Structures are given as structure tokens and as C-alpha cells.
Amino acid sequence: MQNQIALIQIVSEQTMQNVLSLIAFKPAKVIYLITKPVEDRVEWIVKATEQAGVSCQYEKIVMKKMPAIDESFRTTFDAIRRGKGCNLTPIVNFTGGTKMISIGAYSAARENKVPSVYVDTERECFINGGTGNMPCNLNLDSLWDETFRKSNRKITVPVILRANGIQGEMYSALAYSNEIYKAAECLFTIYQDNKKRDGIIAEIRNKLSGKDRLILPRQLMETGIKAGFFKCENDKCFISSNNPFSHDRLFLSFFEGLWLEFFVMGQLISTNKFSDIQRGVKYLAKEWDILAVDSTKLYFFSCKSGKNFELSHIYEVANDAQSLGGRFTKKYLCCHRLNKSIQLMENIRKLEEITGVKVLSGDDLMHITCLLYTSPSPRDS
């Protein structure tokens, strides 16, 4: 149900403040204040809110590339007039844009005595600008809580991606059985021994036809049978033709390294904190391992199960996460095996401080749920 509101929004490089206010306020009309360099962001915002089940009429008012306070003031003043002309209550969202644009928009709201709001995405709250009386049915504290923290949360991985101009293919963590996650936990324990890991992979690779008996650790056979990877005939274990990954290459990939993604997803699911968890997110030539959403925050996980670790991986995670969800994205690089030499760990800690990426390995992965909210913050946040 739409509210009789004309939401006036400043559009900038970051779009989540626009998406969040639209989902919460459910206005009858939106007036976007834009400059040419960010005009395409309007389409991103529209697609993201439609993905979240919210749509409304909108129009755009274009300002020059670097508007001064007075132009922003006049443009917002005009937008307020247009909103009132439609018999709607204008609310000015002065979040985003340059300081000059924001100040001008706020000043116009105060001059016209209409309500305004600031969207603090980092601290997860709406802040009343105090420029006019907010409609009596809108309590900003409860509005955020009811929209984003309770069971009707609208922010999902696809919504955040669309807000950043990305529409990709992905697979929900809920599409997989709990037994698959238990199999991944089993591999996490067994693969602590490199020789056992290499032996299991070689055994499965050599018997992909499913016709030859598998010789595997009993614990893995038992969990693998429950997960549907293997079948038991006459007390002998074989690869099941109806396994969850029917394609041979994907089936083998699970035991070679994909299992770590499932192990991490299993840990995330166990927290009951995430409203959405997706894996294998593909967009153009890129593919990202795991994306998850808690309230309005995007969590980015890259998984490296092999022996080869390079410091450049940290920069890759930082750059990819920035492109997906902005600078407030929580970023993690999960490594099953990491040579923890003193020099390497010193270099990793330095890069964690610079990039905000948290590197998790070994026992950290077993206790990942305790570490999710302790990522270092980038210096520019």
C-alpha cells in the first residue's frame, strides 16, 4: 500500500540510501534530483526496488554536473512544489550527492517546512532532519525496524546487486540439503591432512564412471551417502548417478575445493542472522563465491581451498566487494590452508588494515560466526 508521499531523492554514486528509503516509505511518487554522470543510477534504483516488491511513479530533474548550493536549493524547491501540486506530502531525502547538493536540499526543506530524512546505512537508521512535521503514520525508528529487521525484510542479495547495476545468476544456499553441508564439514576435518585430501581427490577422479568401488574414509562414506554423493551396494561404495552435482566436472569440483564454499555457507546458516545467502554469483566474466545479507549489510566471502595463497587475493576481494555493495560491504577471504609464516602474517595484517578485508583460515573458519562482526574498517570509512 502506497503512502501519500512525494519522496524527493538526491542520487549519487551510492544508491542504497535511495533504495532503503523507497522500500520503507512506499511513496506514491518519487522525484529524483540527478546530475548527468549518475543518471543511469535511477534505472538501477528502480530495478532494485521492483525486485523488493515496491514500485511507484517517478520523474527526474537534471542539475548541472557540479551544482552549487543555490542551484540545489532551487531544484529541491521546485521538486517540493511539484509534490504539493499532486496533493502529496513532500519528504526530502538529503542523503548522498556532494555536500553542496545536500546542504541546498536540506535548506529548501527547511524553508518550505516540509519533513526531511537522512539515511545512515552504516549505523542502520533513519534520522529525522527536523525541517517539518513527519506524517503521523511514519515513526522513523519503527519504520526501519519493521522493514529491515523483522520477518518481512526486503533487502536480499539480488536487490543490492541491482542497486549497483548488476543482474547476475546465483544459487540460494537454501536450495541445498543440510546433509551436503555436513559432508562439507566432514571434508574440512579430513582435509587437515594433505595426504588424505590428495588421496580422496585422486580416488574420486579415477572412478567418476561410478562403476568402480570407492575406497574412502568411513566417516566420509557415511556422510556422502546421506548427502546423495555415493550409494551403497552389497557393502560397497560407489558414486551415485543421482548425486546433487550430476555433472562430473561439478561433482569433482566439490571434493577439489567447492566444499569450502558449502562449509562457509553452513556456518552462516547456523547463525540465523542472514536473511539471504547466495553462492556462485555470475555476472559477465566474473563469478563470486558467496554473498550474504544481514539486515541491510552485504557480506562478501571469497574461498580459497588450495595451497597457493597470494597477497594479491586480498586486493581482489576488496575491489570486487566495493563494486558490489560499496565501501560498507563486509569482506572476508576464507583460506583452508595457509602457510602462517611470521612475515606472511605481518603482511596480511597490514593489508587487512588498509583494505578492510578479514583473512580467515584454519580454526578461524570453525569459529567464523564469532568473527563476523570484527572485520577491520577501511581507513576511508
Side-chain angles (χ1 to χ4, degrees), residues 74-93:
R74 289 193 305 270
T75 305
T76 308
F77 201 104
D78 179 41
I80 293 170
R81 178 185 58 80
R82 296 187 192 192
K84 289 181 176 179
C86 298
N87 294 318
L88 301 173
T89 300
I91 296 180
V92 178
N93 176 6

Side-chain angles (χ1 to χ4, degrees), residues 15-302:
T15 58
M16 281 308 296
Q17 63 265 18
N18 304 112
V19 172
L20 296 176
S21 57
L22 261 165
I23 293 172
F25 286 99
K26 298 181 179 65
K29 183 175 183 177
V30 185
I31 302 173
Y32 293 106
L33 311 183
I34 65 172
T35 57
K36 278 293 183 182
V38 296
E39 187 170 8
D40 59 346
R41 301 300 192 276
V42 172
E43 184 179 356
W44 298 4
I45 295 166
V46 170
K47 288 184 176 180
T49 51
E50 287 178 348
Q51 178 75 35
V54 177
S55 60
C56 58
Q57 295 181 343
Y58 70 91
E59 63 177 288
K60 298 180 288 187
I61 301 178
V62 182
M63 299 178 287
K64 65 183 181 183
K65 187 174 181 179
M66 293 293 289
I69 292 176
D70 59 345
E71 183 182 352
S72 172
F73 177 90
R74 289 193 305 270
T75 305
T76 308
F77 201 104
D78 179 41
I80 293 170
R81 178 185 58 80
R82 296 187 192 192
K84 289 181 176 179
C86 298
N87 294 318
L88 301 173
T89 300
I91 296 180
V92 178
N93 176 6
F94 59 92
T95 321
T98 64
K99 289 183 173 62
M100 299 298 184
I101 297 175
S102 185
I103 292 171
Y106 177 83
S107 300
R110 186 173 59 180
E111 177 75 16
N112 284 272
K113 295 182 172 58
V114 300
S116 60
V117 65
Y118 180 85
V119 186
D120 191 331
T121 54
E122 183 175 17
R123 287 182 287 188
E124 298 189 339
C125 62
F126 293 124
I127 299 173
N128 192 330
T131 54
N133 294 324
M134 195 68 67
C136 60
N137 66 321
L138 297 179
N139 179 306
L140 296 186
D141 290 336
S142 63
L143 193 64
W144 185 285
D145 190 60
E146 291 172 4
T147 306
F148 307 118
R149 292 203 182 96
K150 294 187 178 177
S151 60
N152 62 335
R153 288 174 290 184
K154 300 289 187 180
I155 299 300
T156 62
V157 170
V159 168
I160 293 179
L161 294 187
R162 289 200 173 197
N164 288 276
I166 296 170
Q167 181 177 356
E169 298 178 7
M170 62 197 75
Y171 304 91
S172 171
L174 298 179
Y176 303 96
S177 73
N178 188 50
E179 301 302 332
I180 293 180
Y181 295 112
K182 289 182 178 179
E185 289 183 22
C186 179
L187 288 174
F188 179 88
T189 302
I190 294 174
Y191 281 4
Q192 301 296 330
D193 186 321
N194 291 337
K195 289 184 178 180
K196 287 184 179 180
R197 174 189 182 276
D198 295 342
I200 290 170
I201 293 173
E203 178 73 0
I204 291 175
R205 182 184 292 122
N206 292 333
K207 298 177 180 178
L208 279 176
S209 67
K211 296 178 181 179
D212 298 317
R213 177 187 178 185
L214 287 167
I215 307 298
L216 297 171
R218 176 170 293 277
Q219 183 185 7
L220 179 57
M221 283 195 293
E222 291 175 351
T223 57
I225 289 170
K226 291 178 181 178
F229 290 125
F230 311 129
K231 62 182 179 181
C232 184
E233 296 178 357
N234 300 321
D235 294 328
K236 295 180 180 179
C237 184
F238 302 87
I239 293 176
S240 172
S241 59
N242 296 318
N243 69 75
F245 305 109
S246 55
H247 191 281
D248 285 352
R249 180 61 251 176
L250 190 57
F251 178 84
L252 181 59
S253 293
F254 180 86
F255 292 91
E256 288 179 331
L258 189 59
W259 66 269
L260 183 57
E261 292 181 28
F262 281 84
F263 175 82
V264 172
M265 285 194 296
Q267 297 291 302
L268 302 183
I269 292 171
S270 69
T271 67
N272 291 319
K273 289 180 176 292
F274 295 92
S275 57
D276 190 25
I277 304 171
Q278 302 280 343
R279 64 156 294 270
V281 181
K282 298 178 182 178
Y283 175 69
L284 300 178
K286 284 279 190 178
E287 181 170 353
W288 300 289
D289 294 338
I290 304 170
L291 299 178
V293 175
D294 174 15
S295 186
T296 63
K297 288 286 197 307
L298 182 67
Y299 286 70
F300 181 103
F301 297 88
S302 179

